[in-house]
Amino acid sequence: MSVSANLSAVAIVDAVRARRTSAREVVTGALERIERHDRILNCFTRVLSKIAIADADRTDRIIATGGDPGPLAGVPFAVKNLFDVAGVTTVAGSRIHAERPPATRDATAVAALRRAGAVLVGCLNMDEYAFGFTTENTHYGPTRNPHDLSRIAGGSSGGSAAAVAAGLVPLSLGSDTNGSIRVPAALCGVFGLKPTYGRVSRSGVVLFAGSLDHVGPLARSVRDLALAFDAVQGPDAADPVCANRPAEPTAPALDQGMASLRVAVAGGHFAQLAEPAAFAAVERVARALGASRRVTIPEVQRARAAASVITSTEGAFYHLDDLKRRAKDFDPMTRDRFRAGALVPAAVYLRAQRFRAWFTERAREVFRDVDVLVAPTTPYPAPPIGAPRTTIVDDVEVVTRGHLGVFTQPWSFVGLPVLSVPITGLAGAGPLPLGVQLIGAPFMEVHLLRTAARLEAEGVVAAPTAPERR
Amino acid sequence: MDTPTEADVERLAAALGLPLEPGSAAAVAEHLAGLLAYARLFAEFPLSDDVEPPPDFRP
């Protein structure tokens, strides 16, 4: 069989297990696509060809000897370069970490995917230390949006989203502190899942703001996303915030439909300061789900403000020694923002955390009689690379890059699971995709995946095929 | 310190032992001003005394 760019993980597993193709053929195909397209897209900061071929051959040997190669047998994947990979230096988008020795073991999530039979092919570009929504990385160059090369991929998991959108790999891992899985997933037109805080181990991941950091998968189909999530979810004593809660597989539940799920649309903050296309995307999803109820969560602006303060303060804490010793080696896109975070008084930080406790209760109240809440992911499609600092939305001047997180930040602030689903064909967006967030109660990722599966089955959401580049 | 000046930033940075190269205090002050403006948004919101910062955050 031919190994095309848009083959799903599910199709790859079926073909590899049935020996219609080999893991080596699949992985070689992915490596060739990376070689052909990534010089322009700039998704990868490291390609692990030899390791990938060796892992693929191991999978093929297991199959040849009648063994179980795992639920993701032969599926190529790649990870944001803040995940530890044994034998590879974890650069976290920085020049400073690039001087560190190679990691001695895989991050827990990377190891879990490999144990499931997936084949790691490389490490992906990001904003330095995950502090950004654009992947306009000064050290490693910007990652380009596969749907329009003049535009950003979003961030900070920009390489993770663009590599999947361009068909270089069917699966990737990213991290999300304020929207860093969901924003690039929306701008590149793929599915991105930010699980519940503590659902997936962050052990072996370079943290950005520990009390807000999540890791999760990106994919071009709901089933692929569920398979990847099922492989990485579950307790891990190596991550102090990982929930002591057994994994709850979601893939078997995708066909259950929506019958018992109560869906509402987020109003107030989530219905302003965006381009009409973002709201049209929400309406399209709401209509398909028969959701007419509007829910308003109070004080979302203050929640976003508190999330920003916590992020900057915790981020600065991690990098304070390097800020003191070698500030010149930071990306100019992050350096002064980290420094400002270092100067925030402790009382301000703690007040932000107190507000977070209050807002968490308000968010919990919403989910007492709602299972899935619908909101835009970003307020506009991907801006151009090097866009001006501010832009006008709804006659209001906003910070072009920071405003990308206006709708994502409040949910990561309270650790709720969120799935961004891709939509195209929206008036005003041209060929560019946008995303819609499906938000759920803590640890109820299965509700979001079931809802996304229904939307996908009805053709409401889908990952658009990126134009073939030669 | 409603709107931090460059001098404020230089004093705070010195107290923390954070060196700033000449000319960089202005940009840091601008970012810090943004964070403190955010802080005013939630600091002015009344919270009862029993609202604690989560010692080990769980959703």
Side-chain angles (χ1 to χ4, degrees):
Chain A
M1 67 180 285
S2 80
V3 184
S4 83
N6 292 311
L7 210 55
S8 70
V10 170
I12 289 170
V13 172
D14 286 349
V16 168
R17 282 174 163 271
R19 301 177 77 171
R20 292 194 302 277
T21 186
S22 65
R24 175 185 267 256
E25 188 183 1
V26 172
V27 167
T28 302
L31 293 170
E32 286 172 359
R33 288 193 298 279
I34 295 165
E35 170 71 23
R36 198 176 327 131
H37 301 301
D38 202 52
R39 267 170 289 193
I40 293 170
L41 292 168
N42 196 34
C43 303
F44 282 80
T45 51
R46 184 83 186 261
V47 179
L48 303 169
S49 304
K50 282 186 185 166
I51 295 171
I53 295 287
D55 284 355
D57 285 348
R58 190 174 312 119
T59 294
D60 288 331
R61 280 197 301 275
I62 291 170
I63 293 170
T65 54
D68 180 0
L72 289 168
V75 176
F77 78 104
V79 298
K80 188 175 184 174
N81 68 29
L82 50 59
F83 285 85
D84 281 351
V85 173
V88 176
T89 293
T90 312
V91 299
S94 74
R95 177 188 292 170
I96 293 168
H97 275 52
E99 296 174 7
R100 293 193 172 189
T104 54
R105 53 187 296 183
D106 289 346
T108 297
V110 174
L113 283 177
R114 285 176 127 171
R115 264 197 315 277
V119 177
L120 180 67
V121 299
C123 308
L124 298 160
N125 201 12
M126 57 182 281
D127 292 282
E128 184 179 63
Y129 296 128
F131 203 176
F133 285 128
T134 67
T135 315
E136 295 171 294
N137 187 303
T138 305
H139 309 305
Y140 301 96
T143 293
R144 297 182 179 278
N145 191 308
H147 299 284
D148 180 340
L149 297 175
S150 71
R151 294 177 184 271
I152 62 166
S156 61
S157 310
S160 304
V164 170
L168 306 185
V169 285
L171 288 179
S172 67
L173 290 179
S175 68
D176 188 315
T177 305
N178 288 296
S180 284
I181 288 173
R182 293 161 289 161
V183 167
L187 300 189
C188 288
V190 300
F191 296 86
L193 176 63
K194 184 204 78 60
T196 309
Y197 185 76
R199 175 65 109 170
V200 178
S201 171
R202 309 161 314 166
S203 177
V205 174
V206 175
L207 296 179
F208 170 25
S211 81
L212 294 162
D213 287 336
H214 310 65
V215 301
L218 299 95
R220 287 192 304 272
S221 79
V222 177
R223 191 161 292 276
D224 285 4
L225 195 72
L227 282 175
F229 171 61
D230 288 351
V232 298
Q233 62 159 313
D236 179 15
D239 178 354
V241 307
C242 197
N244 186 19
R245 185 182 173 106
E248 296 162 288
T250 58
L254 293 183
D255 299 328
Q256 286 179 3
M258 294 277 305
S260 60
L261 297 183
R262 300 158 297 177
V263 184
V265 178
H269 172 91
F270 299 96
Q272 57 194 17
L273 287 180
E275 291 183 1
F279 299 132
V282 169
E283 284 310 310
R284 201 184 285 181
V285 166
R287 200 163 50 245
L289 298 175
S292 53
R293 186 176 161 204
R294 303 263 154 184
V295 172
T296 301
I297 300 109
E299 307 298 346
V300 180
Q301 284 278 32
R302 295 185 213 272
R304 197 174 166 233
S308 297
V309 167
I310 292 170
T311 301
S312 296
T313 311
E314 292 185 6
F317 158 74
Y318 288 120
H319 301 295
L320 188 55
D321 288 345
D322 285 329
L323 287 167
K324 288 181 177 180
R325 289 188 290 109
R326 47 186 307 187
K328 65 177 174 38
D329 293 327
F330 279 75
D331 189 328
M333 299 284 282
T334 71
R335 179 175 48 224
D336 291 335
R337 292 190 292 148
F338 276 129
R339 283 169 158 167
L343 304 183
V344 170
V348 170
Y349 171 80
L350 288 170
R351 180 75 183 197
Q353 288 285 18
R354 286 185 68 215
F355 183 82
R356 183 183 193 180
W358 179 87
F359 188 74
T360 300
E361 286 304 312
R362 304 293 83 72
R364 275 195 184 137
E365 285 164 8
V366 169
F367 288 94
R368 283 188 190 138
D369 60 355
V370 170
D371 296 305
V372 178
L373 195 58
V374 180
T377 304
T378 65
Y380 30 76
I385 291 169
R389 197 181 78 83
T390 63
T391 191
I392 304 293
V393 181
D394 263 355
D395 296 328
V396 175
E397 186 177 35
V398 298
V399 177
T400 309
R401 293 166 180 79
H403 194 64
L404 283 166
V406 66
F407 301 132
T408 54
Q409 205 167 6
W411 306 115
S412 29
F413 184 53
V414 289
L416 299 179
V418 188
L419 200 173
S420 180
V421 294
I423 301 200
T424 44
L426 296 155
L432 296 173
L434 271 163
V436 170
Q437 295 184 98
L438 308 175
I439 304 125
F443 299 102
M444 299 312 292
E445 288 87 356
V446 67
H447 288 166
L448 312 181
L449 287 157
R450 280 169 56 195
T451 304
R454 153 90 177 269
L455 291 166
E456 184 183 48
E458 293 187 358
V460 179
V461 304
T465 302
E468 178 77 9
R469 313 271 171 212
R470 303 211 177 268
Chain B
M1 196 172 57
D2 276 356
T3 304
T5 63
E6 291 179 41
D8 291 332
V9 163
E10 283 164 359
R11 271 194 299 273
L12 284 168
L16 195 61
L18 178 67
L20 296 176
E21 64 276 11
S24 62
V28 178
E30 185 183 338
H31 291 298
L32 184 59
L35 291 172
L36 295 179
Y38 279 145
R40 280 191 290 280
L41 268 184
F42 56 80
E44 70 191 16
F45 185 77
L47 292 173
S48 67
D49 290 346
D50 61 353
V51 178
E52 290 186 51
D56 176 17
F57 175 70
R58 302 273 165 182

